[in-house]
Amino acid sequence: MSNAIGTRVHRSHLPLVAAATGGTPSRRPVWFMRQAGRSLPEYRAIRANHGMLESCFDPELVCEITMQPVRRHDVDAAILFSDIVVPLKAAGIDLDIVAGTGPVIAEPVRTPADVDRIPRLEPAAVGAIAHGVRLLLEQLDDAALIGFAGAPFTLASYLIEGGPSRNYERTKAMMHGDPQTWSKLMGRLADITIAFLQVQLDAGVDAIQLFDSWAGMLSAADYETYVAPHSTRVLAEIAHYGVPRIHFGVGTGELLAPMAHAGADVIGVDWRVPLDEAARRVGPGKAVQGNLDPTLLFAGPEVVEREVRRVVADGERAIAAGAVGHIFNLGHGVLPATDPDVLTRVVELVHSI
């Protein structure tokens, strides 16, 4: 069975794929969110001469940056180097990624007319990303390649607020005060997200991760009413590819059950909820991913070892509670000042347990 014509067959033997689908991995899979990034000197060397968005649309740079942590750390998965706003940029939305700030939208979306102006994403506009995936598949042997996209709610929050936000007041105001416009916006963004993921899946990625990074700002009721239907549609539209679908958000302990019901195969868990408790909230039949607090990587080798072993033990208890597998990760992304050698030692330790 192949993802698409001309791509490789599904690689169920890979540790990450096996753990995600109830198989028996040859070793406990481990990778890190934001593993390709500012913690690596080789990444900083590339970025000294290339902007963020420029790098995301250059297939050779995408391939090189994605491979850097695989070579350095021996992680079990590479995650495609990109950004959640890449499909918005490719669709024609005027935005930039500003150092120290994040995505900044030139003309925020706040009215029905603004929503009507959001274009569709044409697959050709992200052809460079598909090319990058194909280059990566030529180099990756024993590591899975994870594609990803931002979930509609997180994309909507950037578009409405105009950039990162602390309180999401404009987003929540539209959600509650103009639910018709909100629903139309979320539908448009779901279309873009689906198209972006399909390009990556057609090119041959082994798994995908849907980042709803800021969903933790919502109550469970708001999530289920205004957000879950759209994430559910995204995950349903790519189900036929037969690859593991991972769903992750920050601060989503109260949302783990409804996020699981949206249709993912693996639920990412941040550091606030132990994995075994997360498995009980999610219910049986799904794998869990996580969830070492990324700040603990600064606490010294004894603390790091103790906490890695605790997370692994929590993962075992999660499996006993009904999870089909455990993928070791951080509870959020690698912090820029993290010592890369610490990450390498974490991988070695996880593989040795």
Side-chain angles (χ1 to χ4, degrees):
M1 180 180 179
S2 170
N3 288 350
I5 295 172
T7 65
R8 61 184 175 175
V9 296
H10 292 322
R11 303 191 299 166
S12 58
H13 69 284
L14 295 175
L16 180 135
V17 177
T21 56
T24 303
S26 57
R27 62 187 189 181
R28 185 179 306 270
V30 52
W31 68 281
F32 306 110
M33 289 177 281
R34 292 201 198 119
Q35 64 188 13
R38 288 173 289 174
S39 66
L40 298 182
E42 54 266 44
Y43 171 78
R44 294 196 295 271
I46 288 177
R47 283 294 313 284
N49 299 308
H50 301 278
M52 178 63 181
L53 284 170
E54 174 195 351
S55 302
C56 291
F57 284 94
D58 183 313
E60 284 77 19
L61 286 180
V62 166
C63 181
E64 170 58 25
I65 295 170
T66 302
M67 286 298 300
Q68 287 175 347
V70 180
R71 298 189 199 109
R72 180 184 273 264
H73 302 311
D74 189 30
V75 285
D76 295 290
I79 185 164
L80 184 72
F81 177 74
S82 189
D83 190 274
I84 63 171
V85 298
V86 160
L88 301 181
K89 180 73 172 181
I93 293 172
D94 188 2
L95 62 85
D96 196 9
I97 299 175
V98 178
T101 300
V104 175
I105 311 300
E107 297 181 2
V109 174
R110 293 171 183 166
T111 68
D114 294 337
V115 175
D116 288 338
R117 284 194 291 270
I118 295 175
R120 291 190 174 275
L121 175 63
E122 298 299 330
V126 285
I129 284 78
H131 185 190
V133 169
R134 290 190 290 270
L135 292 176
L136 281 159
L137 297 184
E138 294 173 0
Q139 297 193 32
L140 287 167
D141 294 320
D142 299 321
L145 178 58
I146 303 171
F148 79 91
F153 170 77
T154 292
L155 296 180
S157 73
Y158 282 118
L159 288 177
I160 296 168
E161 303 293 342
S165 176
R166 183 179 297 272
N167 299 310
Y168 301 88
E169 58 266 33
R170 292 181 181 273
T171 303
K172 293 182 180 182
M174 181 190 288
M175 182 188 293
H176 287 274
D178 190 356
Q180 185 173 356
T181 300
W182 172 261
S183 182
K184 189 172 185 180
L185 171 60
M186 290 288 278
R188 289 285 180 97
L189 294 175
D191 290 342
I192 289 173
T193 299
I194 291 164
F196 188 47
L197 289 172
Q198 286 175 335
V199 165
Q200 298 171 61
L201 287 158
D202 286 339
V205 296
D206 296 297
I208 65 95
Q209 179 155 311
L210 188 65
F211 283 88
D212 213 348
S213 305
W214 310 133
M217 295 298 294
L218 299 170
S219 69
D222 283 355
Y223 178 84
E224 293 194 60
T225 301
Y226 299 107
V227 175
H230 304 282
S231 293
T232 299
R233 182 163 75 89
V234 170
L235 292 166
E237 287 287 341
I238 59 171
H240 66 282
Y241 285 92
V243 306
R245 297 159 296 166
I246 309 167
H247 201 182
F248 172 76
V250 184
T252 51
E254 297 302 317
L255 306 181
L256 288 172
M259 287 182 74
H261 295 157
D265 307 292
V266 183
I267 299 300
V269 185
D270 78 6
W271 65 92
R272 296 170 177 87
V273 179
L275 291 171
D276 51 337
E277 172 60 22
R280 283 189 283 272
R281 296 182 189 185
V282 165
K286 297 183 185 296
V288 291
Q289 177 177 278
N291 66 342
L292 181 68
D293 185 338
T295 65
L296 295 181
L297 297 173
F298 296 84
E302 291 184 0
V303 173
V304 171
E305 177 168 353
R306 182 189 72 212
E307 293 301 309
V308 167
R309 290 184 181 277
R310 178 188 59 78
V311 170
V312 169
D314 287 350
E316 289 298 320
R317 284 191 289 271
I319 293 170
V324 302
H326 172 222
I327 299 164
F328 191 101
N329 207 312
L330 302 180
H332 198 196
V334 175
L335 296 170
T338 304
D339 181 350
D341 290 341
V342 174
L343 291 172
T344 302
R345 289 196 292 272
V346 168
V347 175
E348 292 170 349
L349 178 57
V350 172
H351 286 159
S352 73
I353 298 175

